[in-house]
Amino acid sequence: MKKLQVLLTVVISAILLVGCGGADGEESSGGQSGDDNKIVIKAQTLGSEVTRVDNLVEAAKVLNEELKEEGEDIQVEVEPMYYDGSNEDYAKQFMLAHQANKEPDIYATGHEHIGWLADGGYILPLDELKDSEVYSDIIYPNLWDSVTYKGQIWAAIQDIESRPVFYNKDALKELGWSEDEINSLPERVKNGEFTLEDMTQLAEEAVEKGVTEYGIIHRPVEGPDFHYMAYNFGGTIYDAEENKIVLDKEATEKQLSYFAEIADKGLIPDNLTQMEWSNIHRTVVNGKTLFYYGGIWNIFNWGEDDYHEEVGKVDGEWVREHFGMMLVPAAEKGGKPVTLSHPYVYVVSSQTEHPEIVKRLLELVAAPELQLKHAIDTFHYPITKDVAEMDEFKEAPSLAETVYMLEYTTFLPNHEDFTTYSQAIYGAIQAVELGKKTVEEALADMETQLKNDLGDELIVKE
């Protein structure tokens, strides 16, 4: 990330700033319109889950009523900004915009970016939010860990999710499983009775008998999902006390061996790490795999496009009928299963001219009705317990029955160089799956690469 920041400083151009500012070129951070009584707060998000910023528009309406009651002669307008591109480009755009004072006041992003955003002076600390009454009922106490860096809180938590393993109920029925066996699988996983090895063997059976074309599908690109396997094999990837990335060689070797095994046994597509996301979704939805390492929000994705060959777009009820969801099974019998959560968060630009207004918006956007709308519309979990107890949430397909997974969740580290580690492990996984390297070769090359790239920021655990 440090190298990226240096490069970005060199390549800033006016062209790249067009999409970051207002239509008339006004500064976006702390921007104020021609009306001296109106404050414009710009808020940006990535992707199709637009409620992340649209909810801020609704929160501003409440804030304006409060300001009126307080006798303040100002009104707040939230201008939503939507970015359609890769995570990497989204981060680059924010850095470029910040250097030109064109960035949004509120930037919605994955929590793992907090490290470089804080170290680079891009964002403000928000320690007071932890003591705010609205955030006192947080759904999972350790959730604050995801936005803590060097002892400070740097973001407001916007939502949370889990990454379950989807299993195909229709395929299990064809393999002779009873309804009770199918429905009890998540509990058996939770109790450590059904392990990762059991999952692999069952996937083999499905492929060998021709029930499904593939046994297991995982994400095709670098990302958070791969890291829970290090935790599953008893390892770690971060030392918070030292604030350094950890290469846990024993756990990483087991992690790479697992991916090599499912490739060698023909349980995954030969070109899995070269597939498009749309093909992944079609493969899963059309029942071509028994297991899929996915995310709870994929139910939202599957309702956005005509992935199913006959049904087209599928809804939550359809998914619930044909798929079950379980934690990632423990690597050892009797062990604790795992998942990973990737909270989306709101960070605040260090250059905003209205930090107090922005902080009030971040409290108001956590209102139960706004949380509930986002959770149900996009298949995420709310951040506070009161929303999780609402009838509307409990009636939402697949959400209420999987929220227990947060008790087993892990997070990515907020280290500024974590992307370097993430890309390295993905490259190693891709190499062993494609048969280009042995596990030993991939691990050795990964260690060399990380030592060169991270230097003293890396701890190698033998």
Side-chain angles (χ1 to χ4, degrees):
M1 184 58 70
K2 293 173 183 174
K3 295 177 182 177
L4 178 60
Q5 288 172 302
V6 173
L7 176 63
L8 288 171
T9 303
V10 176
V11 300
I12 293 178
S13 68
I15 295 175
L16 288 170
L17 299 177
V18 171
C20 306
D24 59 357
E26 65 176 305
E27 293 185 356
S28 72
S29 184
Q32 201 154 338
S33 72
D35 182 353
D36 290 338
N37 295 328
K38 184 167 72 173
I39 295 173
V40 177
I41 301 295
K42 294 182 184 273
Q44 186 176 36
T45 192
L46 171 69
S48 58
E49 289 142 335
V50 297
T51 41
R52 287 182 170 136
V53 289
D54 290 351
N55 276 358
L56 285 163
V57 175
E58 297 303 312
K61 296 176 183 177
V62 178
L63 178 56
N64 285 332
E65 290 299 318
E66 292 183 357
L67 291 170
K68 186 176 180 181
E69 291 175 5
E70 293 165 9
E72 298 286 350
D73 189 23
I74 57 172
Q75 291 285 280
V76 176
E77 176 186 319
V78 170
E79 182 177 320
M81 303 163 65
Y82 313 100
Y83 188 85
D84 184 18
S86 69
N87 279 288
E88 184 177 2
D89 288 342
Y90 185 52
K92 288 178 182 178
Q93 187 221 37
F94 181 78
M95 283 188 274
L96 289 167
H98 193 280
Q99 291 176 30
N101 200 26
K102 297 276 187 177
E103 81 285 3
D105 302 271
I106 301 172
Y107 179 65
T109 187
H111 76 94
E112 77 278 14
H113 295 293
I114 285 173
W116 65 263
L117 286 166
D119 286 343
Y122 294 103
I123 59 175
L124 296 175
L126 301 171
D127 297 287
E128 61 269 38
L129 287 183
K130 190 174 182 179
D131 299 321
S132 171
E133 183 178 350
V134 72
Y135 289 103
S136 63
D137 190 37
I138 215 78
I139 194 170
Y140 182 66
N142 287 353
L143 190 52
W144 285 114
D145 293 346
S146 68
V147 293
T148 300
Y149 181 65
K150 294 183 178 178
Q152 286 190 285
I153 302 293
W154 291 92
I157 306 159
Q158 191 269 322
D159 71 16
I160 188 170
E161 31 86 333
S162 64
R163 293 169 190 249
V165 178
F166 288 80
Y167 60 89
N168 188 309
K169 291 181 179 181
D170 300 327
L172 290 179
K173 289 177 185 176
E174 197 170 338
L175 287 172
W177 282 45
S178 68
E179 288 285 349
D180 286 344
E181 287 175 321
I182 292 171
N183 294 331
S184 67
L185 184 54
E187 189 68 19
R188 291 169 57 200
V189 169
K190 190 164 67 170
N191 295 335
E193 299 168 21
F194 185 91
T195 66
L196 197 63
E197 182 179 356
D198 294 326
M199 177 177 159
T200 302
Q201 291 176 354
L202 189 57
E204 282 186 90
E205 182 184 355
V207 173
E208 288 172 358
K209 292 183 177 180
V211 173
T212 56
E213 185 175 354
Y214 307 111
I216 296 170
I217 295 286
H218 60 65
R219 67 183 295 123
V221 296
E222 178 264 329
D225 305 33
F226 298 111
H227 303 297
Y228 51 50
M229 279 303 179
Y231 298 128
N232 199 9
F233 287 112
T236 185
I237 57 179
Y238 179 59
D239 186 317
E241 187 173 331
E242 294 287 331
N243 189 33
K244 292 184 178 181
I245 300 297
V246 176
L247 173 60
D248 190 322
K249 292 179 68 175
E250 181 179 354
T252 304
E253 183 175 9
K254 293 178 180 178
Q255 182 181 11
L256 293 175
S257 296
Y258 169 75
F259 289 105
E261 179 186 10
I262 61 176
D264 291 343
K265 290 182 175 179
L267 302 183
I268 63 174
D270 293 337
N271 64 337
L272 178 53
T273 54
Q274 298 164 333
M275 291 174 68
E276 296 288 337
W277 266 116
S278 58
N279 289 334
I280 295 292
H281 293 320
R282 289 189 181 93
T283 299
V284 176
V285 170
N286 287 287
K288 295 181 180 180
T289 184
L290 178 58
F291 295 113
Y292 166 56
Y293 287 108
I296 188 71
W297 69 92
N298 285 147
I299 303 172
F300 167 73
N301 298 142
W302 298 336
E304 283 192 300
D305 210 337
D306 294 327
Y307 291 120
H308 196 279
E309 293 170 357
E310 297 178 3
V311 180
K313 297 180 178 68
V314 300
D315 59 19
E317 290 293 350
W318 185 95
V319 173
R320 194 178 188 190
E321 179 183 350
H322 295 278
F323 291 91
M325 286 175 281
M326 64 188 192
L327 291 159
V328 179
E332 297 181 357
K333 190 73 89 175
K336 185 178 180 180
V338 69
T339 185
L340 184 141
S341 294
H342 180 235
Y344 229 69
V345 302
Y346 295 121
V347 295
V348 177
S349 169
S350 58
Q351 297 180 146
T352 183
E353 295 179 7
H354 304 283
E356 296 309 314
I357 290 291
V358 168
K359 290 172 187 177
R360 287 184 69 170
L361 281 172
L362 295 182
E363 291 184 336
L364 292 169
V365 79
E369 62 274 14
L370 294 179
Q371 283 193 61
L372 181 67
K373 176 175 174 53
H374 174 74
I376 291 177
D377 285 358
T378 69
F379 282 89
H380 285 79
Y381 304 129
I383 63 170
T384 56
K385 296 175 185 176
D386 58 345
V387 181
E389 292 300 318
M390 294 174 72
D391 290 340
E392 295 95 326
F393 179 78
K394 289 182 177 180
E395 293 167 2
S398 305
L399 286 174
E401 62 193 43
T402 58
V403 73
Y404 76 90
M405 292 185 178
L406 295 180
E407 299 171 20
Y408 299 82
T409 203
T410 56
F411 301 110
L412 300 177
N414 289 330
H415 193 282
E416 65 171 319
D417 290 321
F418 180 70
T419 298
T420 301
Y421 173 88
S422 188
Q423 291 171 344
I425 186 64
Y426 174 72
I429 290 169
Q430 185 177 48
V432 299
E433 285 192 349
L434 292 173
K436 294 183 177 180
K437 295 179 184 178
T438 66
V439 169
E440 294 73 23
E441 289 170 341
L443 179 58
D445 289 348
M446 181 180 173
E447 180 177 0
T448 299
Q449 178 186 344
L450 289 176
K451 283 180 176 178
N452 288 336
D453 291 345
L454 301 183
D456 293 339
E457 295 299 306
L458 177 72
I459 296 174
V460 178
K461 183 180 177 183
E462 299 290 343

